[in-house]
Amino acid sequence: MDRFLLCLDANPDHAGRKYEAIRQKLVKIFDWRGVRFPEECADETINRVVRKLEYGQEIRDIPTYCQGVARLVVLEALKKAENRQVSLDELKFVPVAPVFSEDESAQRNCFVRCLSDLPIENRQLILRYYEDERRVKITNRQTMADQLGIPLNALRSRVQRIRDKLEQCITHCLSRSSS
Amino acid sequence: MMKPDIQENLVRRYLLGDLPESDTNELEIQILRDDEKFEEMWEIENRLVDGYVRGTLSASDQERFERHYQASPVHRQRVAVAKNLVEEADRSGAAVAHVSAKESSGARLFEKFNFSFLSWQFATVAAMLLFAVAGLWLFLDRSRLRHEQEQLRAESQSRQDREDALSQQLANAKAESQKLESEIERLRVERNGSVQPPTQPELTQRPTIYSLLLSPMLMRSSDSPQTARIPSQTDQVRLQMRVDQENARRFQVSVRTVEGRQVWEQQIKPRAGRATTSIISAQIPVSRLPVGDYILTLSAINSTGQPEEVNRYFFRVIGQ
């Protein structure tokens, strides 16, 4: 891991931040690729890169190398999922419980709970940011950024992380309610 | 560098599983290298999800979205969250917009009738100001009149009090006067019964004196003797003589008729005159000097008490 960090940056603090950034990007890449457990895949990707470094392999371009490893991990993960799907498809006579409306209700309850758990400024920020853009012009977001005294891309980044936390909270809430 | 719409289209194709593997690999390397591209891609994903929830995607995108993107349970969960989120955001925004719209329509109505409303407003304000000023003036004027009325009433009361006091003093004075008059009358009655009071002239009358300064040079043999024309109401005759006897402390005056009969004699102390002279003044009752010629002999009393003649004076007394 030390070698991996050293490849990212000579400064340990900067290296730590770059590690977190690469991990988050890998998580999203696996997410976008439709992998069921993106975080596990991201960690697996980094572990493989670290091992390569420990084995003495020289890696000049960490992002490109990580992407190459991630592509393989994606393929492996999708293959596992396909295998599971095939095995499930073989169970032709297993009834599917009509729980959609119940899921929607649980979703709503968890959404309301997690939204109310957000700090009020974050709650107001995310609701205002995602107002229907057909009615509210895009300049609304620029106005928000101006009011907060931050650039527009910084506002976007902040809102996306609030939304990500909201999703994580709801996922956790649903898993608890289902168990 | 790609244009934003091209980049968005590329990302959308990536997210919908419609991008070739080579482009996918290149795009992923880009976002691993560039934080800004990563953030943009994340936002494009959110926009795609929100578009699906709001039903704004094209039919082909919607079909690909449901077939590819929603194949992942994580993505289905994200879509469910997005559905609640955009509903909540739109509801929240609509509530704010409703209030804003109300305010806006109110503002438009105000603008439409701005002139007439302002006219009415100004007229109302002007009328209110006028009433306020008039009311204030009436109030102040009434206060002033009330103040003056109170002052007049106070002055009148004060004057009445003074009149009452003076009337009382006058009554007291009258009573005192009457008391004194009755007392005087009583005393007069009592006095009339015993002694008559002296008449005013008698009480205030003083003796009348006739003065005559005698000159020693004038003797009986001269042609014009000194004459004393004594008024009828004279009581006494004062005869005065100048002497140069500085050392004499006392003098003796002796008046005789030319026939030798002594009329009057007295020792007198001289009265200081100028530095080297003294004046001897002899005051003789007029009854002693009837009309006739007289000789006055002035003598200085020496240290042994014997008189030494200083001068003789001749004078004549005639009637008025």
Side-chain angles (χ1 to χ4, degrees):
Chain A
M1 181 60 82
D2 290 343
R3 292 194 64 185
F4 180 73
L5 292 173
L6 193 60
C7 287
L8 293 176
D9 201 297
N11 185 311
D13 292 336
H14 294 174
R17 281 198 288 273
K18 286 183 178 178
Y19 167 82
E20 287 297 327
I22 281 184
R23 186 181 179 279
Q24 186 185 29
K25 288 173 182 175
L26 286 171
V27 169
K28 285 305 290 184
I29 284 172
F30 286 110
D31 178 347
W32 290 328
R33 288 275 191 148
V35 175
R36 188 174 179 85
F37 301 104
E39 293 197 357
E40 289 178 9
C41 292
D43 290 339
E44 176 61 24
T45 301
I46 291 172
N47 286 339
R48 288 184 189 184
V49 174
V50 168
R51 278 200 295 271
K52 286 290 181 183
L53 289 169
E54 286 174 352
Y55 290 153
Q57 185 169 337
E58 187 180 354
I59 302 174
R60 294 189 175 182
D61 187 354
I62 290 289
T64 302
Y65 194 87
C66 283
Q67 195 276 330
V69 174
R71 183 163 51 89
L72 295 173
V73 172
V74 167
L75 292 173
E76 292 170 8
L78 292 177
K79 192 170 184 179
K80 280 184 186 174
E82 279 178 8
N83 291 338
R84 262 202 309 274
Q85 188 68 37
V86 169
S87 63
L88 287 173
D89 288 343
E90 288 172 352
L91 301 172
K92 292 180 181 177
F93 301 104
V94 175
V96 178
V99 293
F100 184 72
S101 60
E102 196 174 316
D103 283 348
E104 275 194 342
S105 175
Q107 279 279 352
R108 181 67 189 168
N109 290 337
C110 284
F111 172 80
V112 170
R113 184 186 301 172
C114 289
L115 186 68
S116 63
D117 284 347
L118 288 174
I120 186 166
E121 61 271 18
N122 287 353
R123 186 163 66 243
Q124 289 175 345
L125 190 68
I126 194 171
L127 291 176
R128 193 176 165 197
Y129 189 88
Y130 287 113
E131 282 179 36
D132 191 350
E133 291 178 7
R134 287 173 302 180
R135 189 177 63 241
V136 182
K137 294 179 181 177
I138 197 70
T139 53
N140 182 44
R141 293 180 177 175
Q142 185 61 56
T143 304
M144 289 173 68
D146 293 342
Q147 287 172 347
L148 291 168
I150 57 175
L152 188 59
N153 57 356
L155 173 65
R156 178 187 62 199
S157 178
R158 185 182 294 183
V159 171
Q160 282 173 177
R161 272 147 190 80
I162 295 169
R163 184 169 180 166
D164 191 42
K165 279 187 180 177
L166 183 65
E167 283 182 13
Q168 290 175 18
C169 173
I170 292 168
T171 303
H172 185 63
C173 172
L174 288 170
S175 65
R176 278 192 306 181
S177 61
S178 62
S179 63
Chain B
M1 188 175 177
M2 284 182 284
K3 291 180 179 178
D5 53 344
I6 297 174
Q7 174 75 9
E8 176 149 357
N9 188 46
L10 192 71
V11 171
R12 277 174 172 253
R13 288 177 64 195
Y14 167 78
L15 293 169
L16 295 174
D18 196 29
L19 198 65
E21 187 63 22
S22 59
D23 291 340
T24 299
N25 293 336
E26 189 179 344
L27 185 63
E28 287 177 348
I29 290 170
Q30 280 182 9
I31 63 173
L32 282 170
R33 284 179 175 162
D34 190 340
D35 292 346
E36 184 63 23
K37 281 195 186 308
F38 171 71
E39 296 290 340
E40 285 176 10
M41 191 161 167
W42 196 354
E43 188 179 48
I44 291 168
E45 183 206 11
N46 286 329
R47 212 153 44 225
L48 181 70
V49 173
D50 295 349
Y52 174 76
V53 169
R54 286 193 169 106
T56 58
L57 296 182
S58 66
S60 58
D61 281 355
Q62 186 173 340
E63 189 271 330
R64 274 195 288 270
F65 187 88
E66 288 172 348
R67 181 170 49 85
H68 178 79
Y69 189 83
Q70 291 214 93
S72 163
V74 176
H75 291 174
R76 286 198 296 275
Q77 173 62 28
R78 184 165 299 142
V79 170
V81 171
K83 185 172 182 292
N84 283 313
L85 180 61
V86 296
E87 280 178 3
E88 191 67 28
D90 288 352
R91 192 181 301 122
S92 166
V96 173
H98 180 64
V99 173
S100 301
K102 271 189 166 181
E103 289 172 352
S104 178
S105 62
R108 280 197 298 275
L109 189 65
F110 177 80
E111 286 171 4
K112 188 176 179 181
F113 298 104
N114 193 18
F115 178 75
S116 58
F117 178 73
L118 282 177
S119 301
W120 274 106
Q121 201 175 29
F122 280 129
T124 307
V125 169
M128 287 173 71
L129 279 174
L130 190 63
F131 278 121
V133 169
L136 183 64
W137 182 82
L138 285 172
F139 174 76
L140 291 174
D141 192 55
R142 189 172 176 181
S143 299
R144 183 181 59 80
L145 288 172
R146 191 183 296 121
H147 181 67
E148 288 179 359
Q149 190 179 11
E150 286 174 358
Q151 273 189 331
L152 289 171
R153 191 180 293 128
E155 287 176 4
S156 174
Q157 183 64 39
S158 175
R159 191 160 46 243
Q160 185 64 41
D161 291 344
R162 282 201 304 273
E163 286 178 1
D164 292 346
L166 289 171
S167 299
Q168 184 63 37
Q169 287 179 4
L170 185 61
N172 291 340
K174 280 182 177 176
E176 188 68 20
S177 174
Q178 286 175 355
K179 187 179 176 183
L180 287 172
E181 282 180 1
S182 58
E183 183 69 16
I184 290 168
E185 186 62 27
R186 185 181 62 79
L187 289 171
R188 182 178 293 141
V189 169
E190 286 178 0
R191 192 168 180 177
N192 286 340
S194 56
V195 181
Q196 288 291 335
T199 59
Q200 192 68 16
E202 288 175 334
L203 288 173
T204 58
Q205 191 175 25
R206 285 185 170 185
T208 302
I209 299 173
Y210 176 81
S211 293
L212 178 65
L213 181 61
L214 299 175
S215 173
M217 300 299 294
L218 296 177
M219 298 301 291
R220 186 182 177 188
S221 57
S222 71
D223 292 336
S224 54
Q226 294 179 94
T227 303
R229 190 181 298 275
I230 300 171
S232 60
Q233 293 181 347
T234 300
D235 296 317
Q236 295 188 353
V237 176
R238 180 180 295 150
L239 300 174
Q240 293 180 316
M241 288 80 54
R242 278 198 184 89
V243 294
D244 296 330
Q245 301 293 325
E246 294 179 11
N247 296 327
R249 298 178 64 185
R250 296 179 67 189
F251 290 87
Q252 181 178 295
V253 176
S254 176
V255 179
R256 295 172 182 272
T257 64
V258 289
E259 290 81 12
R261 184 178 58 90
Q262 185 168 338
V263 177
W264 186 82
E265 184 176 75
Q266 189 176 16
Q267 288 191 353
I268 298 169
K269 292 178 71 174
R271 182 162 57 88
R274 290 180 183 172
T276 56
T277 60
S278 297
I279 292 175
I280 305 301
S281 181
Q283 198 161 311
I284 305 168
V286 73
S287 55
R288 301 285 183 93
L289 297 172
V291 175
D293 293 334
Y294 295 90
I295 296 170
L296 185 147
T297 302
L298 179 63
S299 304
I301 305 299
N302 59 19
S303 57
T304 60
Q306 296 300 313
E308 291 178 358
E309 187 173 327
V310 177
N311 262 321
R312 287 191 177 195
Y313 302 91
F314 175 68
F315 64 95
R316 180 175 294 166
V317 175
I318 59 176
Q320 249 182 350

